[in-house]
Amino acid sequence: HGAAELDEIGTEALPRRTPAPAWLPPAKGEEGDFCLRSSDCAAGLCCARHFWSKICKPVLREGQVCTRHRRKGTHGLEIFQRCQCAEGLACRLQREHGPADASRLHTCQRH
């Protein structure tokens, strides 16, 4: 009889976990969180490959190095993907003062 009373007291003392209400949107992933698609990440982040998984990474800002893909489908072969340039920016060959083709670096630039 004494053990049954302890069980009842023990379960009453533990806080009960309730699931989040269906109307509450799930939390978006922050930088470095695992993801499956960009919609899993918070604003200003995209879902990109990092080694053999995918994590939320920051969308690129003006002046940051970006990746131009010559052939369609090559983006999936990278093990360290970068996000796309932010809205209003395009990934273009960096303009430098010097010999032509001195730098093959692409950066996010205003249209």
Side-chain angles (χ1 to χ4, degrees), residues 62-63 89-111:
E62 188 171 7
L89 302 175
C91 188
R92 295 193 180 132
L93 192 61
Q94 187 171 321
R95 296 177 222 126
E96 294 212 8
H97 306 293
D101 295 332
S103 170
R104 297 309 262 142
L105 211 58
H106 287 77
T107 58
C108 293
Q109 301 171 26
R110 297 220 173 267
H111 289 289

Side-chain angles (χ1 to χ4, degrees), residues 41-88:
C41 301
L45 302 173
C46 84
C47 188
R49 190 178 334 283
H50 190 80
F51 285 114
W52 291 272
S53 59
K54 293 174 95 178
I55 62 170
C56 296
K57 294 183 180 185
V59 169
L60 300 176
R61 307 216 177 278
E62 188 171 7
Q64 289 187 307
V65 175
C66 54
T67 306
R68 267 305 279 266
H69 299 285
R70 291 186 185 358
R71 290 189 309 264
K72 193 174 182 180
T74 56
H75 192 61
L77 301 176
E78 297 174 276
I79 62 167
F80 294 108
Q81 289 178 332
R82 291 185 176 109
C83 288
Q84 68 283 359
C85 295
E87 204 170 317

